[in-house]
Amino acid sequence: MPSVLVVEDDPSIRQSLIEVLSEHGYAVRSAADGFSALREVTQTPVDAVVLDLGLPDLDGGDALRMIRGISSVPVLVATARDDESEIIKILNAGADDYLVKPFSGGQLVARLSAVLRRTSHVPPAGTGAVGAPVAAAAEPLRATVVGELAVDPGARTAYLAGRELRLTRREFDLLAFLAHHSGQVVSKRRLLTEVWREPYVDDQTVDVHLSSLRRKLGERAAAPRYLLTVRGVGIKLVAPR
């Protein structure tokens, strides 16, 4: 059964999309904003995403680019925006198809089925031959979303609130490692061993890179948001409260 993530902030439209897709045999999950969608995509892979552009927390175009930074999942944009330049921009940004509201349930299902055939080779729900093997959807790249921070080690990209962070190689390696172990306190010695792979380098090396990383995350050691220092133990990356 193909799985679909519906990203739509309007409750009535979201419910209608869920009902239509469920009736056609899709396993449907939903999100009402961009960052919830990113967490869904990274934590539980789906076969396709139906994405609205008018989201409350970030523009759907930015959400699309962030999804593309962490996953190859097929994305069908379903929105009221019908300007040709906007459609071209969204398709060039990585959307697999573009559907303008209002549209019928039949059109949505047909477009989604076509996208799945072209991309992941997952057959439309209810149409696969009995006993026929089903090709699995492409595995998304491993990535982590913590608050408004999205880190993709495969693509070596990091986004904060939709804005790509410009990091040095070592800064990215450090952030990716902490994101992978988000919520856990990591000692500086472990960072030197597993990120620098130089266990005998001075701890000040980590401090310098953490300080630079904090500036790029828009915080200070005295007023941390993502990078919390646990005195005498180490550092941990958390979602801001």
Side-chain angles (χ1 to χ4, degrees), residues 12-206:
S12 60
I13 296 176
R14 185 169 66 247
Q15 186 58 38
S16 295
L17 296 177
I18 292 172
E19 290 175 359
V20 166
L21 293 172
S22 297
E23 288 171 0
H24 284 80
Y26 289 93
V28 186
R29 300 208 311 277
S30 67
D33 57 68
F35 282 104
S36 294
L38 286 167
R39 283 190 288 271
E40 287 283 340
V41 169
T42 57
Q43 293 174 5
T44 309
V46 291
D47 296 314
V49 175
V50 176
L51 175 67
D52 179 35
L53 296 182
L55 301 175
D57 55 346
L58 73 161
D59 182 78
D62 293 330
L64 172 63
R65 283 183 281 275
M66 293 175 72
I67 289 173
R68 275 290 159 266
I70 61 177
S71 174
S72 59
V73 62
V75 177
L76 169 60
V77 169
T79 180
R81 300 181 191 176
D82 59 359
D83 181 73
E84 182 179 1
S85 62
E86 177 77 5
I87 295 173
I88 292 171
K89 182 176 72 174
I90 292 299
L91 291 172
N92 286 336
D96 294 278
D97 202 352
Y98 195 106
L99 193 56
V100 177
K101 297 175 182 177
F103 48 80
S104 67
Q107 187 177 6
L108 171 65
V109 171
R111 291 288 190 95
L112 186 57
S113 297
V115 165
L116 287 170
R117 286 196 302 271
R118 290 197 308 268
T119 55
S120 63
H121 307 293
V122 174
T127 62
V130 175
V134 176
E139 285 291 327
L141 295 172
R142 291 189 64 192
T144 306
V145 176
V146 182
E148 294 184 316
L149 177 66
V151 184
D152 177 17
R156 293 190 68 80
T157 56
Y159 290 84
L160 180 63
R163 175 180 60 86
E164 185 170 4
L165 298 175
R166 302 298 179 183
L167 305 175
T168 66
R169 180 178 65 86
R170 191 67 78 188
E171 287 169 353
F172 181 85
D173 290 342
L174 175 59
L175 180 61
F177 186 83
L178 291 171
H180 181 73
H181 298 280
S182 61
Q184 302 176 28
V185 180
V186 181
S187 69
K188 293 179 183 179
R189 186 56 52 191
R190 184 179 178 189
L191 290 173
L192 287 169
T193 301
E194 300 194 38
V195 177
W196 273 261
R197 300 186 183 281
E198 300 174 9
Y200 302 108
V201 175
D202 192 274
D203 286 1
Q204 189 175 5
T205 299
V206 177

